Amino acid sequence: MSVNISTGVGTLCFATPFFNASGPLCTTLLELEDLGRSEACAILSKSCTVEPREGNPLPRYADFEGGSINSMGLPNLGYRVYMEMYPYLWRYDKPIISSVSGLSLKDTLLIVREMCGVDELDAIEINLSCPNVVGKPQVAYDFDQTREVLQEVGRICTKPWGVKLPPYFDFVHFEEMAKILNESGVSFVTCINSLGNGLVIDAERECVVIKPKGGFGGVGGRMIKPIGLSNVRKFRELLRSDISIIGVGGIVSGRDVFEYILAGADAVQIGTQLQQEGVSVFARLGRELREVMERKGYSSLGEFKGKLKML
Ligand code: YRO
């Protein structure tokens, strides 16, 4: 039986539903080329700022039984370098997406304006987990800031664009955010970023496991899958049907990908598992997802996308 796992996000066509999350193995040209040669359906570059950043002191990433914790501090080469890389990455014949994370609204708008001039770039993902104003929460946890950022980006962005969201835990927050998104020009929403400010402790050494921020950091990996699934599901219920949803959080197997698509995801991104396994993860997920679909008698993703059953 032939199984078709192609999909689309906005106007972009993807050969498979999985690609990298912004963060792991997508900062240097070498890493982005590895993603190009892999079975990832798109190439997404690490969130960029105006100026290059070294990021936080090491160790700034650690694995634990439930997943990973990080406080990378936005290490990246600066947006100008990524702009120059996209024409080289074009040879891999898959959509190229730029994650943008200006440290202020002004910076974000500057980067978006410049990126829109790069023909080889297909879409922009705005990382709303950035601290735009000191003393205020990250943009995505401040609905007034979010409304302003989306309005301003919408005014100037000439390419398909979307936002990367942190997890929400309260239905009123989902409703507020969905209203803002439905009134904006986003063509996709990516949820979720890591769970903010977790703490992993090594009991033997009686010590934190990462150096920055007293050991606090964003939590990813298997333990966050139920939160990722709930966020995809809730936004699928609340967002306009022409806004695509990219799911991310705790995907390890083809079965996890299947669950995200059932919840309503059009595509998924792989973070912690990509960091741990390397780019061969995408070929494995392809085999496993096809296996699940064959067993269930599905021949395309549309046959079960969003069709989660209630009890
Ligand atoms: O530390 C990071 O570079 C980082 N890690 C994540 O898990 N998610 C992110 O969005 C980022 C970049 C943004 C920020 C956390 C540094 C503000």
Side-chain angles (χ1 to χ4, degrees):
M1 201 181 70
S2 76
V3 171
N4 178 355
I5 59 170
S6 68
T7 186
V9 163
T11 53
L12 306 183
C13 296
F14 291 164
T16 74
F18 20 74
F19 62 114
N20 66 290
S22 179
L25 306 182
C26 62
T27 301
T28 65
L29 181 58
L30 239 50
E31 289 172 336
L32 292 163
E33 287 179 314
D34 271 344
L35 288 168
R37 283 184 290 265
S38 79
E39 289 193 27
C41 67
I43 305 173
L44 170 60
S45 54
K46 168 72 183 173
S47 293
C48 62
T49 50
V50 171
E51 298 305 328
R53 290 169 58 89
E54 291 274 352
N56 290 333
L58 306 181
R60 58 193 185 185
Y61 172 94
D63 292 306
F64 68 100
E65 321 79 65
S68 67
I69 184 167
N70 86 82
S71 179
M72 307 301 288
L74 217 38
N76 77 96
L77 303 174
Y79 81 96
R80 295 176 193 87
V81 173
Y82 294 103
M83 282 180 64
E84 287 173 10
M85 283 183 190
Y86 301 138
Y88 285 93
L89 299 173
W90 201 63
R91 71 187 71 211
Y92 297 105
D93 200 27
K94 51 178 91 169
I96 300 170
I97 307 169
S98 182
S99 173
V100 172
S101 190
L103 300 175
S104 66
L105 176 54
K106 182 169 149 283
D107 282 7
T108 296
L109 295 175
L110 182 148
I111 299 171
V112 168
R113 206 177 281 118
E114 295 276 309
M115 289 280 186
C116 283
V118 181
D119 286 342
E120 290 83 356
L121 181 65
D122 293 286
I124 295 173
E125 185 182 86
I126 307 280
N127 183 2
L128 289 186
S129 289
C130 44
N132 217 332
V133 178
V134 276
K136 284 198 175 185
Q138 60 167 78
V139 173
Y141 284 157
D142 181 323
F143 298 115
D144 292 330
Q145 277 195 76
T146 296
R147 199 176 293 105
E148 186 185 11
V149 170
L150 299 199
Q151 270 171 9
E152 297 293 320
V153 170
R155 258 195 262 284
I156 61 158
C157 193
T158 54
K159 288 183 183 290
W161 62 284
V163 288
K164 172 83 165 278
L165 297 177
Y168 298 98
F169 302 94
D170 188 301
F171 286 157
V172 175
H173 291 158
F174 281 108
E175 282 158 18
E176 277 214 54
M177 186 49 75
K179 183 164 188 294
I180 293 168
L181 292 165
N182 282 335
E183 290 169 355
S184 79
V186 291
S187 63
F188 65 91
V189 168
T190 304
C191 43
I192 57 175
N193 207 324
S194 51
L195 266 66
N197 295 320
L199 181 63
V200 173
I201 292 174
D202 180 336
E204 279 320 302
R205 296 161 61 216
E206 303 178 14
C207 192
V208 297
V209 300
I210 56 172
K211 186 178 176 76
K213 287 175 63 179
F216 288 85
V219 176
R222 14 178 123 251
M223 68 161 290
I224 75 165
K225 192 180 73 170
I227 310 297
L229 286 170
S230 71
N231 277 252
V232 167
R233 183 67 192 163
K234 189 45 80 180
F235 278 118
R236 189 64 291 160
E237 288 173 10
L238 297 173
L239 290 178
R240 284 176 3 226
S241 61
D242 62 314
I243 299 177
S244 300
I245 298 184
I246 303 174
V248 45
I251 293 171
V252 172
S253 69
R255 203 170 120 155
D256 299 327
V257 178
F258 184 85
E259 291 176 11
Y260 266 94
I261 295 170
L262 261 187
D266 297 284
V268 299
Q269 297 174 349
I270 314 301
T272 298
Q273 192 60 31
L274 168 59
Q275 179 65 42
Q276 294 177 351
E277 186 175 340
V279 296
S280 64
V281 67
F282 299 109
R284 178 177 63 76
L285 291 175
R287 287 192 298 274
E288 292 176 358
L289 176 61
R290 287 168 193 280
E291 216 169 272
V292 174
M293 288 172 62
E294 272 173 34
R295 181 161 53 74
K296 290 169 168 283
Y298 289 122
S299 54
S300 72
L301 303 183
E303 291 164 16
F304 60 92
K305 186 184 291 178
K307 297 193 177 157
L308 180 65
K309 294 175 193 154
M310 299 297 116
L311 293 178

